Amino acid sequence: MLWDSLGWRLYTRVFGGLVWILVASTRVAYQLLQGWVMFVSVFCFTLSTLLMCLYFCGAHGGKSSWIAVDAFYHSVAALFYLSAAVLQAATTIAAQPTNNNANQFKIYQEDIAAVVFAFLATLTYVIHKGFSLLRWKSS
């Protein structure tokens, strides 16, 4: 069960970090929408790193309250990432290049990659939430 938890934590950090990098490297066309995507990716990346460090240090002590915090955090993070992925997809559709400009097409491809990784991050947070809820139920 330890590897399941740590493996999914690493996947969420990798996918979330890729969303952060891809959105930060593109031209921000819609500040409000992509600002939310950046907030979600930075917030979840930072909090996931903090929780993983606390988990490695043994700060949880095997208490069921730690499992409840973990399940709650991953539920909120999954909801945040779902909203961010939908907003990033809407931004990508709205910013579809209309001419054959190679630079616009490159930015469009980066936006598509950000959408894909945002949905993958959502999926990994949902899966980890499921594992956390199963651990919480059995504790």
Side-chain angles (χ1 to χ4, degrees):
M1 194 61 155
L2 178 65
W3 171 245
D4 288 340
S5 179
L6 293 178
W8 289 111
R9 284 183 197 277
L10 292 175
Y11 288 135
T12 57
R13 290 186 64 232
V14 168
F15 292 145
L18 285 171
V19 172
W20 179 5
I21 291 167
L22 288 166
V23 173
S25 70
T26 63
R27 183 179 59 86
V28 177
Y30 303 97
Q31 291 84 15
L32 186 61
L33 301 179
Q34 289 182 300
W36 174 251
V37 175
M38 284 296 292
F39 168 76
V40 168
S41 60
V42 171
F43 174 77
C44 290
F45 186 86
T46 305
L47 206 54
S48 291
T49 302
L50 177 69
L51 288 173
M52 191 166 70
C53 289
L54 288 172
Y55 190 77
F56 282 149
C57 294
H60 57 85
K63 298 178 185 173
S64 63
S65 61
W66 172 264
I67 299 170
V69 167
D70 191 43
F72 177 75
Y73 165 69
H74 285 92
S75 299
V76 170
L79 182 65
F80 275 13
Y81 254 111
L82 180 61
S83 68
V86 169
L87 290 176
Q88 183 63 29
T91 301
T92 302
I93 290 169
Q96 186 174 7
T98 55
N99 55 13
N100 291 333
N101 186 349
N103 190 34
Q104 282 183 343
F105 189 68
K106 179 186 174 289
I107 291 170
Y108 183 65
Q109 288 176 326
E110 289 176 356
D111 283 339
I112 291 171
V115 170
V116 169
F117 285 117
F119 278 110
L120 285 174
T122 302
L123 179 65
T124 55
Y125 275 110
V126 168
I127 290 170
H128 192 193
K129 177 186 81 161
F131 283 134
S132 295
L133 290 173
L134 287 175
R135 273 190 307 155
W136 186 40
K137 185 179 177 183
S138 66
S139 65

